[in-house]
């Protein structure tokens, strides 16, 4: 798992197998979701034995799950030790399954912890432990008990996708390729705080939706909330996005956690309208979920509705995202495996 068709072709060639075996393996992996090489029954037994000498499927089931009263399920997945930057022998990430009527969204992680250290995010408080491989990312989908129900995938779990871009691009290639899972890229959204050069590369090399963490249209204030503003400002991000066409199926959105009296004022609303004027996009307003040691007041429903109505009334399509899984710490900004890194399975 995690190998592209080109890499599978190289692997079977090295083992002295016919090239078409690579396509068979890809189908068994990404369409049939087998658990073992022995299940790849249209490959000769002799070739299966050759494969087993050097490879395994690589699927790892979740080792824990928590269920919210609203139906949200949070899973704890092991990740490969080679993904870790510490001396730990194993690591974990959290993945959130969110069923909602005829939609079922999976929020996947791409790193153990995160380097971005956004003030309002529990994952950032964990610090950075390591990048997930493409196989680690795909396994969150592959080994999900509700895999067949999925309609959408969002890279909005632990970690900054642009900080692990090679693995994210590899995973989304396999998810969308004809030889892979054959998903439409319109079913996948990748989030980012905005990282110079990496964001441009993603926009050039992927057709998936993009979601930008804004949280304030004012650069100085945004930097107090998000240190990444210093590396790539919100004005620079929007300027880059203006170079791409979002008027058709590909979507650009902005994530905006609302803090009472801090970023939900009329002044902020006017600045958002000014910043995004003429850009085909939407804004998703998100409730703040308190985390320990952070003294930020969340906006109430009335203030969020007023902000939404102002933005929509001035040409910026805006919605308020429903909060899901807060009781199991699965909502936006609450994911963390800091303590679980030391769990022995």
């Amino acid at each position: 798992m995690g190998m592209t068709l080109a890499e599978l072709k190289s692997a079977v060639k090295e083992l002295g197998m016919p090239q078409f075996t690579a396509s068979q393996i890809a189908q068994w992996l990404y369409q049939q979701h087998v658990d073992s090489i022995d299940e790849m029954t249209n490959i000769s037994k002799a070739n299966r034995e050759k494969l087993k000498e050097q490879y395994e499927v690589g699927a790892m089931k979740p080792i824990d799950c928590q269920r919210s009263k609203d139906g949200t399920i949070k899973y704890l997945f092991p990740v490969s030790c080679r993904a870790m930057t510490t001396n730990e022998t194993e690591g974990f990430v959290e993945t959130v399954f969110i069923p909602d009527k005829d939609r079922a969204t999976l929020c996947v992680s791409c790193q153990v912890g995160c380097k971005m250290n956004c003030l309002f995010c529990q994952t950032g408080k964990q610090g950075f432990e390591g990048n997930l491989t493409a196989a680690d990312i795909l396994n969150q989908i592959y080994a999900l008990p509700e895999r067949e129900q999925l309609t959408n995938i969002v890279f909005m779990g632990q970690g900054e996708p642009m900080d692990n871009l090679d693995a994210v691009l590899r995973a989304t290639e396999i998810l969308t390729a004809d030889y892979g899972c054959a998903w439409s890229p319109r079913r996948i959204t990748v989030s980012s705080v905005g990282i110079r050069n990496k964001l441009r590369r993603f926009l050039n090399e992927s057709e998936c939706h993009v979601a930008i963490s804004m949280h304030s249209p004012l650069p100085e204030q945004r930097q107090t909330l998000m240190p990444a503003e210093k590396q790539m400002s919100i004005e620079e991000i929007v300027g880059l996005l203006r170079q791409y066409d979002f008027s058709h199926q590909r979507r650009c959105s902005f994530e905006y956690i609302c803090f009472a009296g801090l970023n939900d004022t009329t002044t902020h609303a006017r600045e958002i309208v000014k910043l995004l004027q003429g850009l085909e996009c939407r804004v998703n307003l998100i409730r703040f979920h308190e985390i320990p040691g952070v003294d930020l007041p969340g906006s109430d429903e009335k203030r969020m509705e007023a902000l939404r109505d102002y933005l929509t009334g001035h040409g910026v399509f805006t919605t308020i995202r429903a909060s899901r899984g807060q009781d199991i710490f699965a909502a936006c900004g609450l994911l963390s495996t800091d303590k679980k890194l030391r769990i022995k399975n």
Side-chain angles (χ1 to χ4, degrees):
M1 183 162 46
M3 295 178 74
T4 65
L5 182 59
E7 290 168 329
L8 290 171
K9 286 180 178 178
S10 178
V12 299
K13 182 179 180 180
E14 191 174 303
L15 292 173
M17 299 179 188
Q19 284 286 284
F20 64 78
T21 309
S23 296
Q24 293 174 316
I25 295 171
Q27 184 177 39
W28 285 114
L29 283 174
Y30 303 129
Q31 297 172 23
Q32 300 299 321
H33 304 102
V34 296
D35 292 321
S36 70
I37 291 171
D38 284 328
E39 295 176 65
M40 301 179 182
T41 52
N42 62 350
I43 299 174
S44 72
K45 185 174 181 180
N47 282 340
R48 276 182 273 156
E49 292 302 318
K50 286 184 182 179
L51 285 170
K52 287 194 294 182
E53 287 177 5
Q54 296 193 36
Y55 297 98
E56 59 185 14
V57 169
M60 296 183 286
K61 293 182 179 180
I63 62 170
D64 189 27
C65 78
Q66 293 175 276
R67 297 177 183 272
S68 168
K69 59 186 179 184
D70 65 22
T72 299
I73 307 174
K74 184 173 69 171
Y75 288 101
L76 183 67
F77 278 99
V79 297
S80 57
C81 60
R82 65 182 180 277
M84 307 305 293
T85 59
T86 68
N87 292 324
E88 296 284 350
T89 58
E90 57 186 353
F92 306 95
V93 292
E94 293 184 324
T95 305
V96 183
F97 174 71
I98 309 167
D100 185 18
K101 298 178 182 177
D102 58 346
R103 289 172 61 92
T105 301
L106 188 69
C107 182
V108 302
S109 296
C110 63
Q111 293 179 318
V112 180
C114 185
K115 297 177 186 176
M116 300 302 112
N117 197 27
C118 296
L119 179 62
F120 46 81
C121 181
Q122 186 66 46
T123 309
K125 308 306 176 191
Q126 178 176 337
F128 176 70
E129 298 290 348
N131 283 324
L132 271 60
T133 64
D136 290 324
I137 294 171
L138 290 169
N139 184 66
Q140 296 169 68
I141 304 158
Y142 198 99
L144 184 79
E146 297 82 8
R147 182 186 62 225
E148 300 304 320
Q149 301 175 36
L150 289 180
T151 62
N152 298 85
I153 294 171
V154 294
F155 283 72
M156 296 182 181
Q158 291 177 255
E160 163 56 51
M162 301 303 143
D163 194 43
N164 189 18
L165 185 55
D166 286 340
V168 169
L169 286 173
R170 178 188 290 256
T172 54
E173 176 192 331
I174 292 169
L175 284 169
T176 58
D178 289 340
Y179 72 79
C181 303
W183 273 50
S184 166
R186 312 310 181 207
R187 296 169 64 186
I188 303 170
T189 300
V190 179
S191 69
S192 180
V193 300
I195 296 181
R196 188 176 288 110
N197 300 326
K198 298 293 186 68
L199 180 57
R200 181 184 294 277
R201 183 182 162 204
F202 170 77
L203 292 167
N204 287 337
E205 297 183 24
S206 173
E207 296 181 1
C208 296
H209 298 316
V210 61
I212 300 297
S213 297
M214 180 192 295
H215 310 305
S216 176
L218 308 176
E220 289 186 6
Q221 184 183 54
R222 187 172 185 260
Q223 188 173 327
T224 66
L225 296 170
M226 305 171 63
E229 165 72 18
K230 190 174 182 180
Q231 301 298 322
M232 189 176 190
S233 70
I234 189 62
E235 288 101 334
E236 186 179 354
I237 293 169
V238 173
L240 174 61
L241 293 170
R242 290 188 187 280
Q243 300 173 28
Y244 296 83
D245 184 6
F246 296 104
S247 62
H248 299 290
Q249 289 187 323
R250 191 181 195 186
R251 187 171 67 238
C252 169
S253 59
F254 291 87
E255 310 298 292
Y256 199 92
I257 296 177
C258 295
F259 305 106
L262 187 67
N263 69 348
D264 63 353
T265 69
T266 303
T267 297
H268 289 87
R270 284 197 296 262
E271 290 299 319
I272 293 172
V273 171
K274 181 179 176 182
L275 178 67
L276 301 182
Q277 187 173 18
L279 178 65
E280 189 73 29
C281 64
R282 65 177 62 190
V283 173
N284 297 316
L285 303 181
I286 303 170
R287 294 168 181 82
F288 173 57
H289 304 108
E290 293 183 9
I291 62 174
V294 176
D295 186 22
L296 287 171
S299 301
D300 60 27
E301 196 74 16
K302 186 176 180 180
R303 295 179 75 108
M304 292 182 69
E305 289 175 354
L307 180 57
R308 176 200 61 193
D309 294 345
Y310 183 98
L311 294 177
T312 300
H314 287 78
V316 180
F317 180 67
T318 303
T319 61
I320 298 175
R321 180 180 293 169
S323 182
R324 299 289 301 272
Q326 187 173 359
D327 57 323
I328 58 169
F329 297 93
C332 290
L334 297 182
L335 299 186
S336 175
T337 49
D338 187 31
K339 293 180 181 178
K340 299 185 183 77
L341 285 173
R342 292 177 289 277
I343 293 175
K344 300 302 178 185
N345 184 10

